[in-house]
Amino acid sequence: MEENKTSLYVSQGEEFWHYDVDVANATLARRKCVLLPAKVQYVWPHPSRRYLYVTSSDRVRGELGTLHHLTTFSVGADGSLEQVGSPLVLPFRPIHMTVDGAGAHIAVAYNFSGSKTGPGTVILYRIRDGGAVVEPPARDDVIDAGMYPHQARFTRDGATLLVCARGNDPSGARAEDLGALKQFRVTGTGLEPSAEFGYESGLGPRHLDLHPTRPWIYVSMERGNKLCVHELAADGKVVPKILFTRSTLKDDANDRFKRQLASTIHVHPSGKFVYVGNRADSVVRHGDVDVLEGGENTLAVFRIDGTTGEPTLVEHVDTHGIHPRTFSLDRTGRLLIVGNLMTRNVREGESVKAVPIALSLFRVQADGRLEFARKYELDCGGKAPFWTGII
């Protein structure tokens, strides 16, 4: 069977765009767009790379929304997408989704983000027909997945589902909801809670990634701007003790900004490096315009010790944009592409300039460092690229 080309997919509201990727030359060529029932939320490929699953929702801040779906697309050898069947109706806004290594299950995390008054949930869906069909769950159980679950990931053997519950900062009379890592056993009929542990105040996990060969888990703390490392025990459970903690910021003073937040995290395919996004987007008034208050929009690059799993900072790299919500590496680990979500005005001396929404491309060096290649500014018409990813 012919191997699929390397493709980048970029959401702009309900639009989902396909780009050809030239890894060697670090360039993109925009191709075609498919439409989703609502705004794209998250995307994950089938292990065969012949199917792509896309969740969407009409949720807006402060409201739960009414249109939530999971749509299956077949992926052509050229990366083109064709919808398979009708979208599967989902019960809530799907903030994250993931597929196990065998291509047997999809786990969708729901954060109930309209009110922040109760825990979110995670639901397991079965995949059949080689990836073409996603079935609703056999049971209607609503599992407590913690306060604001932001990601679900299967362990490599597919036996355990790990959920990052970010928690919430204190607000007014409302106390802090502490962050946690919750673990579920994958059974023939669904998910069963197996273990959990909480983090100290101020640490709220957003995403995690697993080392490709060793029992180490790397967690980005959205609340707290930290990288934490755990060990996965022989019984499949995450050891609560944090092996290593590192700041993700170049300047820890930037932690004072309310909108200075760690974003996603990816371990390099070689297992030698781990990358964490830092995003800042809060504004202050400057004359008659709003300008970026400060903070970092960077990628933190860490080298992983092959014996202990310890991360050592290599560098911080400017993403050449504002709010790097998502980024991804190609399968060979030679190219990294950042989706900068927002446009902001920034001060340059006495003048102000606009930094537009953009895709930034970096070549990955042998030592893990990132060399900026180019960026593609996007005219999104008010539809931000909420998700980007290389498949």
Side-chain angles (χ1 to χ4, degrees):
M1 184 177 292
E2 183 182 358
E3 177 72 9
N4 285 11
K5 293 174 62 176
T6 299
S7 296
L8 174 75
Y9 299 94
V10 178
S11 73
Q12 292 180 199
E14 70 282 0
E15 300 173 0
F16 194 53
W17 285 92
H18 164 220
Y19 290 75
D20 286 340
V21 180
D22 185 331
V23 174
N25 293 306
T27 59
L28 302 176
R30 184 152 140 162
R31 297 308 182 201
K32 294 183 178 180
C33 168
V34 294
L35 293 178
L36 277 298
K39 296 178 181 178
V40 173
Q41 301 296 302
Y42 216 83
V43 181
W44 204 277
H46 189 269
S48 68
R49 299 178 61 242
R50 298 297 174 183
Y51 295 95
L52 199 61
Y53 308 104
V54 184
T55 56
S56 56
S57 173
D58 66 346
R59 174 261 184 188
V60 294
R61 187 174 296 275
E63 299 178 8
L64 292 176
T66 58
L67 298 175
H68 318 292
H69 296 89
L70 187 156
T71 304
T72 301
F73 292 92
S74 63
V75 183
D78 61 353
S80 60
L81 300 177
E82 183 175 348
Q83 185 172 322
V84 179
S86 300
L88 178 67
V89 176
L90 303 178
F92 317 105
R93 181 247 178 150
I95 193 171
H96 190 272
M97 65 180 304
T98 187
V99 179
D100 65 7
H105 295 101
I106 292 178
V108 181
Y110 302 95
N111 64 348
F112 297 172
S113 57
S115 61
K116 298 184 180 180
T117 57
T121 192
V122 60
I123 298 176
L124 193 69
Y125 299 81
R126 186 176 298 278
I127 301 172
R128 62 177 178 82
D129 294 357
V133 176
V134 179
E135 293 183 334
R139 304 188 320 206
D140 295 329
D141 300 352
V142 176
I143 293 174
D144 180 348
M147 291 301 297
Y148 211 102
H150 217 301
Q151 187 205 40
R153 288 291 305 273
F154 291 98
T155 51
R156 288 194 299 272
D157 61 7
T160 300
L161 185 73
L162 308 175
V163 177
C164 290
R166 188 200 66 184
N168 296 300
D169 289 331
S171 178
R174 183 175 175 78
E176 177 185 6
D177 296 311
L178 296 176
L181 187 64
K182 298 178 76 76
Q183 301 163 67
F184 300 89
R185 184 169 47 256
V186 180
T187 72
T189 57
L191 298 169
E192 295 181 356
S194 61
E196 69 174 276
F197 59 85
Y199 289 100
E200 65 183 46
S201 176
L203 289 183
R206 179 183 178 88
H207 281 188
L208 63 82
D209 203 5
L210 294 88
H211 192 278
T213 59
R214 302 298 300 277
W216 302 321
I217 296 174
Y218 296 83
V219 186
S220 67
M221 297 290 169
E222 175 180 308
R223 297 192 308 115
N225 298 293
K226 296 289 191 296
L227 165 64
C228 293
V229 185
H230 293 276
E231 184 177 13
L232 192 64
D235 63 0
K237 295 180 181 178
V238 180
V239 179
K241 178 183 177 181
I242 298 175
L243 295 178
F244 307 100
T245 300
R246 299 289 183 268
S247 172
T248 64
L249 298 175
K250 184 176 183 179
D251 183 354
D252 284 336
N254 286 324
D255 188 50
R256 72 184 186 277
F257 296 117
K258 184 177 181 180
R259 293 288 299 170
Q260 181 71 71
L261 306 168
S263 64
T264 195
I265 181 170
H266 291 291
V267 175
H268 190 271
S270 68
K272 295 180 179 179
F273 316 105
V274 59
Y275 302 87
V276 186
N278 296 302
R279 57 207 168 110
D281 60 32
S282 57
V283 298
V284 293
R285 201 67 179 169
H286 178 73
D288 58 353
V289 297
D290 289 333
V291 299
L292 186 69
E293 180 180 20
E296 298 180 30
N297 287 287
T298 62
L299 292 180
V301 181
F302 296 88
R303 182 176 61 254
I304 296 175
D305 185 287
T307 302
T308 65
E310 179 179 5
T312 299
L313 180 67
V314 174
E315 64 175 351
H316 285 88
V317 178
D318 190 325
T319 67
H320 296 264
I322 306 297
H323 195 112
R325 185 177 188 272
T326 53
F327 68 89
S328 56
L329 292 144
D330 82 291
R331 298 187 306 281
T332 68
R334 294 181 293 156
L335 184 68
L336 185 149
I337 301 180
V338 179
N340 293 294
L341 181 67
M342 296 184 177
T343 183
R344 286 288 186 266
N345 296 312
V346 298
R347 284 173 284 197
E348 285 194 344
E350 296 301 315
S351 64
V352 173
K353 75 168 187 177
V355 177
I357 292 171
L359 304 172
S360 297
L361 280 67
F362 296 85
R363 293 185 176 91
V364 181
Q365 307 301 300
D367 61 359
R369 293 177 182 270
L370 300 177
E371 176 188 55
F372 177 66
R374 60 183 50 84
K375 72 176 181 178
Y376 293 84
E377 296 179 358
L378 301 181
D379 181 4
C380 294
K383 299 177 180 179
F386 200 64
W387 186 92
T388 65
I390 304 173
I391 304 298

